[in-house]
Amino acid sequence: MTAGALGIIAGGGELPIAVAEAAVAAGRDVFILALKGSADDHVSRFAHEWNTLGEVGRAMKLLRAHGVGDVLLAGKVARPRFSEVRLDAKGMMVLPKVLAAARKGDDALLRCMVSLFEDEGFRTVGVAEAAPALLANEGVLGRTQPSEDDRADIAVAAKVVRAMGALDIGQAAAVCAGLVLAVEAAEGTDRMIARVGELPEAIRGAPGKPKGVLVKAPKPLQDGKTDLPVIGTDTVRNAAAAGLAGIAVEAGAALIMNRAGVIKAADEAGIFVMGFAHDAYPG
Amino acid sequence: MTAGALGIIAGGGELPIAVAEAAVAAGRDVFILALKGSADDHVSRFAHEWNTLGEVGRAMKLLRAHGVGDVLLAGKVARPRFSEVRLDAKGMMVLPKVLAAARKGDDALLRCMVSLFEDEGFRTVGVAEAAPALLANEGVLGRTQPSEDDRADIAVAAKVVRAMGALDIGQAAAVCAGLVLAVEAAEGTDRMIARVGELPEAIRGAPGKPKGVLVKAPKPLQDGKTDLPVIGTDTVRNAAAAGLAGIAVEAGAALIMNRAGVIKAADEAGIFVMGFAHDAYPG
């Protein structure tokens, strides 16, 4: 059985494009269904069509017309005001289900989206399967190693992230000398890191004398098909600017965009970037 | 046995002053040990002395000289750079213990401070005992009632706050339509609320069509002697400005500063303020 082309439902950010690049590099046909108002214009480098969130029937038809077998959801999608979403017939049919899921949180909403595609006969796949080259490995990526203090902070932050994830809150936390500086919810990781840099200097590090760590790990409910935590060069630069000593992510369950750039940025800033085994901090 | 005067170790904000007012109104002698760099100048309305964090021996002597039997810790204290703290002999003696506790988080640090006073023969008391008039009661305070949707959000937020508290992270969360908008860590409640108002409008309310709730409840480890959650008129105004529909706190385990002002602010903004029983959301 052939899985057909890889269909990427593309929200915002670099991730959908990185996945498309990796899939094409591996010799696979790719079709991007770019979500209007969210997806990056760079999707135009690949076979693509633009679609609104409410045009569900049209989405299914486009995916079939482009020979898509596997569907992957990637990138950030701002929750729309549902009253402003233009719905086609299929969109109207699935709306009650989507609204009910949305009320239960991000994770329920993503699972609902996955089931919509599976009900139409597509196979949904995660980035881990479609673009394994993007997954974080175990170990330190650049030149800077975490200190003993950093490792103690990673243990605390990992525990916090596991607890946050179990409640579908977020997948990132920053800890410095045992103190939880910030926890990510709806604002996203970049804003969370910026907040760390605004805290009183007595409880955090600073560029030049960095202290404390950022940890990202997936929610335990996530099945890898949806919203894996991601870091990139911006994450590294922001963490360094906020005075953090480094970043740790779960190996095999977090994505590193532009790995070469991340290593370069980490080495320039003198902070560490590492992957830890799931079993090191099982939650 | 008489408990002597009430000694208030005063950090920042209105709380130490509100406690002093309530104690004096109840006919009790009060002595405020005001922490330099943290306490409000209005402590000068009461018998007081200024003291730095490192002058531990001097603090104990002053409390005894003013006939203090019960000691209460109240108000925010910014963690100092320990390298910059001037230490007297007693301060030097207890420093290792304090530093070790500080590494374990806010809650451990507060418990350590409590034990310092108890080792010196003082009884430590909480606001609940020293100024019970400040505790939140069960029920709605102003004219606006929470809707069914609000109550569903309160249940989610209370669950989140219980989990946060168990990990010594923070004691506040904001939830809208089931989605966790923000969780408090080291930044404090006011900044957390401001962040809610900066999220995309599609996932939150707005002044005029408020939606979502703020919940505050104490960490389960807290023994009521230290850091009970507090709301005041600013909390109400900030929540309204961020588009939240109301505030719910745990009755008997959260403090309401300036209750008349809080009710007035809530009624003017059209948002609710309520206390819920611990057993309604036991965590």
Side-chain angles (χ1 to χ4, degrees):
Chain A
M1 163 199 154
T2 170
L6 176 66
I8 300 172
I9 315 297
E14 301 170 66
L15 181 58
I17 293 157
V19 171
E21 273 172 357
V24 167
R28 190 156 189 201
D29 285 338
V30 160
F31 170 68
I32 297 183
L33 194 82
L35 295 175
K36 278 186 194 163
S38 293
D40 192 294
D41 285 338
H42 288 105
V43 296
S44 60
R45 288 163 44 201
F46 303 89
H48 73 285
E49 293 277 354
W50 291 88
N51 204 59
T52 66
L53 276 175
E55 297 171 315
V56 182
R58 180 170 179 267
M60 301 302 176
K61 273 180 209 143
L62 284 168
L63 292 170
R64 283 203 192 89
H66 286 81
V68 166
D70 293 348
V71 164
L72 179 141
L73 304 168
K76 288 174 214 158
V77 180
R79 284 185 177 215
R81 294 191 181 281
F82 284 105
S83 58
E84 291 169 6
V85 173
R86 200 166 24 120
L87 295 163
D88 64 14
K90 178 80 185 165
M92 243 172 266
M93 223 170 73
V94 302
L95 183 68
K97 191 175 162 185
V98 174
L99 284 176
R103 286 194 62 85
K104 292 185 196 147
D106 275 3
D107 204 70
L109 181 55
L110 284 164
R111 280 197 309 265
C112 172
M113 302 304 289
V114 164
S115 75
L116 286 184
F117 289 102
E118 295 193 334
D119 290 350
E120 293 285 318
F122 297 103
R123 196 171 75 103
T124 54
V125 294
V127 176
E129 180 181 341
L134 297 178
L135 286 173
N137 298 114
E138 216 177 311
V140 174
L141 274 187
R143 278 198 304 267
T144 310
Q145 300 287 326
S147 69
E148 278 310 300
D149 283 353
D150 294 335
R151 289 186 185 275
D153 282 341
I154 290 170
V156 174
K159 194 176 164 192
V160 169
V161 172
R162 298 292 185 209
M164 304 297 99
L167 289 164
D168 193 15
I169 295 173
Q171 40 192 22
V175 169
C176 181
L179 182 69
V180 183
L181 297 185
V183 173
E184 176 195 32
E187 76 279 15
T189 309
D190 287 343
R191 279 167 184 256
M192 192 209 84
I193 298 173
R195 184 157 85 243
V196 170
E198 292 161 6
L199 291 172
E201 288 204 15
I203 61 168
R204 62 174 173 92
K209 43 179 177 174
K211 205 176 159 196
V213 302
L214 169 72
V215 166
K216 294 193 82 169
K219 299 173 187 171
L221 295 173
Q222 286 172 351
D223 56 7
K225 284 179 187 166
T226 49
D227 186 25
L228 284 184
V230 183
I231 64 167
T233 52
D234 281 353
T235 322
V236 173
R237 289 195 199 100
N238 292 343
L244 291 170
I247 300 170
V249 300
E250 184 176 329
L255 306 174
I256 300 182
M257 309 276 312
N258 182 5
R259 192 172 304 237
V262 162
I263 293 172
K264 187 161 173 281
D267 286 346
E268 281 172 5
I271 74 173
F272 71 84
V273 176
M274 65 169 287
F276 58 81
H278 178 276
D279 290 349
Y281 310 109
Chain B
M1 165 201 152
T2 168
L6 175 66
I8 300 173
I9 315 298
E14 299 171 66
L15 180 59
I17 293 158
V19 171
E21 272 170 358
V24 168
R28 191 157 187 199
D29 285 338
V30 160
F31 169 68
I32 297 184
L33 193 82
L35 296 175
K36 277 185 195 165
S38 294
D40 192 293
D41 284 338
H42 288 105
V43 296
S44 61
R45 289 163 44 203
F46 304 88
H48 73 285
E49 292 278 353
W50 290 88
N51 205 59
T52 66
L53 276 174
E55 297 172 316
V56 181
R58 181 172 179 266
M60 301 304 176
K61 273 179 208 144
L62 283 169
L63 293 169
R64 282 201 192 90
H66 286 81
V68 166
D70 293 348
V71 164
L72 178 142
L73 303 168
K76 288 174 214 157
V77 180
R79 284 186 177 215
R81 295 195 179 278
F82 284 106
S83 59
E84 292 169 6
V85 173
R86 200 166 24 121
L87 295 162
D88 63 15
K90 177 80 184 167
M92 242 172 265
M93 222 170 75
V94 302
L95 183 68
K97 190 176 163 186
V98 173
L99 283 175
R103 286 195 62 85
K104 291 184 196 148
D106 275 3
D107 205 70
L109 181 56
L110 284 165
R111 280 197 308 267
C112 172
M113 303 302 290
V114 164
S115 75
L116 285 186
F117 289 101
E118 295 192 334
D119 290 350
E120 294 285 318
F122 296 104
R123 197 171 74 103
T124 54
V125 295
V127 177
E129 179 180 342
L134 297 178
L135 287 172
N137 298 115
E138 217 178 310
V140 174
L141 273 186
R143 278 197 304 266
T144 309
Q145 299 287 326
S147 69
E148 279 309 301
D149 284 352
D150 295 335
R151 288 185 185 274
D153 282 341
I154 290 170
V156 173
K159 194 175 164 191
V160 169
V161 172
R162 298 293 185 207
M164 303 298 99
L167 289 165
D168 192 15
I169 296 172
Q171 40 192 23
V175 169
C176 181
L179 182 70
V180 182
L181 297 184
V183 173
E184 176 194 31
E187 77 278 14
T189 308
D190 287 343
R191 280 169 183 254
M192 191 210 84
I193 299 173
R195 185 157 83 243
V196 170
E198 293 162 6
L199 291 171
E201 287 203 16
I203 61 168
R204 62 174 174 92
K209 43 179 177 175
K211 206 176 158 195
V213 303
L214 170 71
V215 166
K216 293 193 82 169
K219 299 175 187 170
L221 295 173
Q222 287 173 350
D223 56 7
K225 285 178 186 167
T226 49
D227 186 26
L228 284 183
V230 183
I231 63 168
T233 52
D234 281 353
T235 322
V236 173
R237 289 195 198 99
N238 292 342
L244 291 170
I247 300 171
V249 299
E250 184 177 329
L255 305 174
I256 301 183
M257 308 279 310
N258 183 4
R259 191 172 304 235
V262 162
I263 294 172
K264 186 160 173 283
D267 286 347
E268 281 172 6
I271 75 173
F272 71 85
V273 175
M274 65 169 287
F276 57 82
H278 178 276
D279 290 348
Y281 311 108

